[in-house]
Amino acid sequence: MQRFLYIFFISLATKIAFAQPSNPTVGDSLKRVLSKQANDTTKVLILEKLTGFYTNINPILALRYGRDAWILASKLRYDKGKILSAISSAQIMLGTSDYSEALFKLTEAKFLSEKNNMPKELTTINLKFALLYTNRKQFKTALEYLSKAKKIQDSLHISASEMPLNLTSGFVYKDMKKNDSALYFFKNAYKYSLKNNLTFQLPTITYYIGSSFWELKQKDSALFYFRKSLSLKAAFNEGRVFYGLASIFKATNQTDSSIFYAKKALIHSHQNNHLQTAIFSAQLLSEIYEKKNDLKESLHYYKITTADKDSLFSQEQVRQIERLAYEEQERESQVQRKVEVHQKALESEIKIYALLVLLIMVLIVVFFLYRNNKNKHRANHLLHIQKEEIDTQRDKAEKALHDLKTTQVQLIQSEKLASLGELTAGIAHEIQNPLNFVNNFSELSIDIAKELKEEIEKLEIPEKDKVYIDEIIGDLTQNQEKINHHGKRASSIVKGMLQHSRTSAGEKELTDINALADEYIRLSFHGLRAKDKTFNADFKTDFDENLPKIEVIPQEIGRVLLNLFNNAFYASASLKNQENFKPKVTVSTRYLTNPSPKVEIRITDNGTGMSSAIKAKIFQPFFTTKPAGEGTGLGLSLAYDIITKGHGGTIEVESTEGQGTTFIITI
């Protein structure tokens, strides 16, 4: 019985959460309109409104209206009417434990809501499912439906469902004995109601906040919210609040207060036809008077309990009779629908037979026409075959022409690239010889200038002239050194051009990328340390241990990795003078399986980063961000060609100015 009472309260509270309080004149007006309304979609909506109106006043009558709405909507194939009537009827069925009928109607309503794209109604249906499975102690399923309702609300911003969602969540967690969580959701519902001036919902919400506090043994908070609920003067709510107060005072041995509130609960429950609350209030009074040895009063309230139980049982019998009548009516409706379907099928068969007779007559006519026009038909058929053959040959010719043009374009492009590579190689070779001459003779000239200075030191020349000659020799030496420096720089550019134009002769072989990356990051670090003793940086490896070996040209991939590591160390070291800054380079590998198996290499530094404008040009030949004399601008271009053209992979860059850069290679 206690379980039944709790379910009834939840049903009543959620109904109040979804609708405004009832006005008695509204029900009379709706019934007058209903009596004059034809069996159409408007009547379905009126029946649904009556269902909601009488839910709190007369659940049996409300359920009758809901079932009538469902049957009429089914006959009219009115999806919206079925959805609304299912929601209203299911609300009552949750309170009367008619779970099978509620489950059937909610399931069909859910299907129709999804079919007709009605997210608001679908949210409400999911909340009803949550309550249904909560009543049946299937909490995992209840929480899944709460999650579905929350996702719809969040994605479509359905603010109207926020309060019912919080209230329903509170009921679910309260039934799960997780009163802290229940209290959280009840308080959210309370805040939303205050914010949106939904004062008619506050009596129910404050009652359940008080009830949750009492479950948590927080008497003072429970009393505060019960009294707050009473102060809102909601007649439908007062009986159970008084009963809650009576229960608290009984548990704390305040017998007089418990009797006082239990009597008020009994009076208000009878006034509002809440027999469940009346039964519990009378039982409470009977138990208290029995403990006080006042057997006369105890017997008096025991008789009230028995009488109310009989009344409740009578209502249950009426409800069961109503359900049986509905099921019978539903069966009759189904039989009627089957008869209609059979009649339509019979009409269809008659139409088919008529069409067959007509077809036979047409065939007879066609036979005579066919006999007279046989030769003409054969000629047309041959012409049609010839036309199809011509069209097929034309399509083949057009496709061949398109393929030929595509191949020509590809050949021309390949030839251009080959010619450009040969031209680049030729120019580079031609420039290399005079560059070698310039470099060699500039070094020789430096040595000659040094010898000349030594010989002049041996001669007796006036000090003034000697100083002048020394200045000239110094300028000459400095000029030769600059010629030598820039000659070597030009030589490195030429070498880069030769590498760009050179076709790789290496063969692909199964290679351990982890080992290759580890080898070259250490090679890069120690190489930079050898060039610059002040250079210092940290490096880290994060390799996928399950990385398989892949077929690559190890020398080419090593060249790419070395170039990227050098750039990363250079970018990090450029900020070494900043306070508390530690240059760091990280290399990591991963094995990707979706959409196809690939190996990913990431090289990350915490250096200066790049702007979007620089990232757009970074793989262009001769483009460099390094100062003059420190980079040729061919390293990343060469790396791009090796990865994309030589190995069919990709190389991408992610960078943020001032934060660092990441190069991502996939092969």
Side-chain angles (χ1 to χ4, degrees):
M1 182 60 74
Q2 288 181 340
R3 173 67 184 161
F4 186 86
L5 178 60
Y6 180 66
I7 294 171
F8 177 80
F9 281 164
I10 288 181
S11 174
L12 178 62
T14 50
K15 183 62 186 177
I16 293 165
F18 300 151
Q20 297 279 351
S22 300
N23 184 340
T25 59
V26 175
D28 295 335
S29 300
L30 287 172
K31 285 193 282 188
R32 284 196 296 271
V33 174
L34 180 67
S35 63
K36 300 176 183 178
Q37 186 65 41
N39 287 335
D40 55 13
T41 56
T42 303
K43 187 172 183 179
V44 174
L45 296 177
I46 295 171
L47 288 167
E48 192 276 329
K49 292 293 183 185
L50 284 166
T51 304
F53 177 82
Y54 281 105
T55 295
N56 301 330
I57 301 172
N58 188 338
I60 295 175
L61 180 60
L63 196 55
R64 186 185 305 160
Y65 283 126
R67 286 165 172 164
D68 289 344
W70 175 271
I71 292 172
L72 182 56
S74 299
K75 288 180 180 179
L76 298 173
R77 291 184 174 84
Y78 181 35
D79 289 352
K80 181 179 179 180
K82 292 185 74 173
I83 293 168
L84 295 176
S85 66
I87 292 172
S88 298
S89 299
Q91 183 63 50
I92 306 167
M93 294 171 194
L94 293 180
T96 56
S97 302
D98 291 326
Y99 297 136
S100 59
E101 186 179 348
L103 182 62
F104 167 75
K105 289 189 174 179
L106 286 174
T107 301
E108 186 161 354
K110 182 175 182 292
F111 168 76
L112 294 174
S113 298
E114 292 170 343
K115 172 186 171 185
N116 293 282
N117 191 24
M118 299 170 69
K120 181 179 177 182
E121 288 74 11
L122 184 57
T123 303
T124 303
I125 291 168
N126 283 326
L127 294 179
K128 302 295 184 191
F129 270 120
L131 287 174
L132 188 151
Y133 284 107
T134 298
N135 293 348
R136 300 178 67 179
K137 295 295 185 181
Q138 295 175 259
F139 297 120
K140 182 180 179 182
T141 307
L143 291 173
E144 288 174 358
Y145 277 103
L146 276 180
S147 177
K148 290 178 182 178
K150 183 73 167 62
K151 285 180 181 178
I152 298 172
Q153 180 209 358
D154 291 344
S155 62
L156 300 177
H157 306 289
I158 306 173
S159 60
S161 64
E162 184 171 334
M163 204 289 297
L165 179 60
N166 278 289
L167 197 57
T168 304
S169 300
F171 294 144
V172 173
Y173 282 103
K174 186 171 177 61
D175 212 21
M176 291 172 67
K177 306 301 181 185
K178 295 183 178 181
N179 287 287
D180 287 328
S181 299
L183 192 58
Y184 168 79
F185 287 109
F186 287 142
K187 285 185 175 180
N188 281 348
Y190 181 77
K191 292 176 184 177
Y192 182 86
S193 299
L194 283 179
K195 179 181 177 182
N196 294 276
N197 198 29
L198 304 176
T199 55
F200 65 92
Q201 297 168 350
L202 294 177
T204 297
I205 299 172
T206 51
Y207 167 77
Y208 276 101
I209 293 175
S211 177
S212 298
F213 273 121
W214 178 235
E215 292 287 344
L216 294 169
K217 306 303 180 185
Q218 298 182 32
K219 173 190 170 184
D220 293 338
S221 297
L223 288 173
F224 172 79
Y225 278 100
F226 280 156
R227 286 166 177 158
K228 189 176 186 66
S229 181
L230 287 175
S231 69
L232 297 171
K233 298 187 183 303
F236 68 88
N237 193 55
E238 290 175 342
R240 59 179 174 178
V241 178
F242 284 130
Y243 176 74
L245 290 169
S247 299
I248 292 176
F249 288 120
K250 181 189 175 188
T252 55
N253 296 319
Q254 299 179 57
T255 306
D256 292 339
S257 297
S258 181
I259 291 172
F260 173 77
Y261 284 111
K263 287 181 177 180
K264 292 179 75 68
L266 185 62
I267 293 169
H268 283 80
S269 298
H270 281 146
Q271 288 175 349
N272 291 282
N273 197 30
H274 292 167
L275 291 179
Q276 292 87 352
T277 310
I279 291 169
F280 277 90
S281 300
Q283 281 180 336
L284 182 64
L285 287 166
S286 179
E287 290 172 3
I288 293 173
Y289 280 116
E290 185 179 358
K291 286 183 180 180
K292 293 180 70 175
N293 292 320
D294 190 343
L295 299 181
K296 180 180 178 181
E297 287 295 315
S298 177
L299 180 60
H300 170 70
Y301 287 107
Y302 178 77
K303 289 179 179 179
I304 293 175
T305 302
T306 304
D308 286 341
K309 285 182 178 179
D310 291 340
S311 297
L312 186 63
F313 180 72
S314 298
Q315 288 186 2
E316 176 67 15
Q317 285 184 320
V318 171
R319 186 183 60 78
Q320 290 181 357
I321 292 170
E322 289 282 344
R323 183 173 63 184
L324 292 173
Y326 160 74
E327 291 174 353
E328 183 63 28
Q329 188 177 2
E330 181 70 12
R331 282 194 292 270
E332 290 177 0
S333 178
Q334 289 177 356
V335 170
Q336 181 64 29
R337 286 196 291 271
K338 287 181 180 179
V339 170
E340 291 175 358
V341 170
H342 180 71
Q343 288 178 344
K344 289 181 180 179
L346 185 60
E347 291 174 358
S348 298
E349 288 181 3
I350 294 172
K351 290 179 181 178
I352 291 171
Y353 289 136
L355 287 173
L356 285 174
V357 172
L358 180 61
L359 180 61
I360 292 171
M361 294 176 64
V362 170
L363 287 174
I364 293 172
V365 174
V366 168
F367 172 76
F368 287 107
L369 291 174
Y370 171 77
R371 189 179 61 179
N372 294 329
N373 297 284
K374 185 175 181 179
N375 292 333
K376 182 179 178 180
H377 176 73
R378 184 181 299 169
N380 289 336
H381 180 65
L382 290 173
L383 286 172
H384 180 69
I385 293 174
Q386 291 174 355
K387 181 178 180 299
E388 287 183 346
E389 183 65 26
I390 292 170
D391 290 343
T392 301
Q393 294 299 327
R394 183 192 63 200
D395 293 341
K396 288 182 179 179
E398 289 178 351
K399 185 177 182 301
L401 179 61
H402 178 267
D403 293 343
L404 179 62
K405 288 181 178 179
T406 302
T407 304
Q408 287 177 340
V409 171
Q410 292 175 346
L411 287 173
I412 292 169
Q413 186 67 20
S414 298
E415 188 63 28
K416 285 181 179 179
L417 292 174
S419 299
L420 180 60
E422 292 176 1
L423 179 62
T424 302
I427 293 172
H429 279 293
E430 289 299 321
I431 293 174
Q432 187 68 45
N433 291 329
L435 272 178
N436 290 337
F437 178 82
V438 170
N439 291 337
N440 294 335
F441 276 89
S442 63
E443 291 177 357
L444 182 62
S445 297
I446 292 170
D447 294 336
I448 292 172
K450 289 179 180 179
E451 292 177 3
L452 178 60
K453 185 175 181 179
E454 291 174 358
E455 293 298 325
I456 289 174
E457 289 290 337
K458 298 176 183 179
L459 299 176
E460 294 182 0
I461 301 174
E463 188 64 30
K464 181 179 179 181
D465 294 337
K466 185 179 289 186
V467 170
Y468 179 68
I469 292 171
D470 286 342
E471 289 179 357
I472 293 174
I473 293 173
D475 291 342
L476 180 62
T477 302
Q478 188 176 6
N479 289 345
Q480 294 300 324
E481 287 175 348
K482 287 185 178 180
I483 291 170
N484 184 260
H485 170 75
H486 290 289
K488 288 181 178 179
R489 170 164 165 72
S491 180
S492 68
I493 293 173
V494 169
K495 289 179 181 178
M497 292 171 63
L498 286 171
Q499 286 180 333
H500 234 286
S501 61
R502 187 184 303 134
T503 302
S504 175
E507 294 184 358
K508 291 185 178 180
E509 58 186 68
L510 286 174
T511 304
D512 185 344
I513 295 297
N514 287 344
L516 194 68
D518 185 68
E519 175 187 351
Y520 275 94
I521 193 171
R522 297 180 188 280
L523 180 63
S524 172
F525 175 77
H526 292 297
L528 292 172
R529 288 277 293 168
K531 291 181 182 178
D532 183 3
K533 298 299 182 183
T534 64
F535 170 79
N536 191 21
D538 188 14
F539 64 87
K540 178 185 176 183
T541 59
D542 182 14
F543 296 139
D544 186 347
E545 296 180 356
N546 298 320
L547 199 71
K549 291 184 177 182
I550 58 172
E551 286 194 346
V552 296
I553 303 174
Q555 300 85 351
E556 298 290 347
I557 298 299
R559 184 188 304 174
V560 172
L561 293 175
L562 184 62
N563 188 283
L564 294 177
F565 290 142
N566 287 340
N567 287 349
F569 279 122
Y570 179 89
S572 297
S574 62
L575 298 176
K576 64 184 179 180
N577 294 326
Q578 292 186 5
E579 187 177 355
N580 298 324
F581 178 78
K582 179 70 174 178
K584 184 176 181 180
V585 175
T586 302
V587 57
S588 63
T589 58
R590 280 196 309 161
Y591 184 54
L592 307 178
T593 57
N594 190 19
S596 59
K598 290 181 181 178
V599 170
E600 179 188 86
I601 308 170
R602 286 178 175 261
I603 300 170
T604 303
D605 64 70
N606 61 346
T608 55
M610 294 180 282
S611 65
S612 299
I614 292 177
K615 280 194 291 184
K617 303 176 183 178
I618 197 70
F619 295 116
Q620 294 179 5
F622 301 108
F623 179 81
T624 180
T625 59
K626 296 178 182 177
E630 294 190 25
T632 63
L634 290 170
L636 287 178
S637 173
L638 184 62
Y640 183 84
D641 287 347
I642 290 171
I643 295 299
T644 58
K645 297 178 182 178
H647 292 80
T650 63
I651 179 169
E652 299 174 349
V653 61
E654 297 176 353
S655 183
T656 303
E657 282 191 278
Q659 296 183 17
T661 302
T662 298
F663 282 90
I664 306 167
I665 299 171
T666 56
I667 305 176

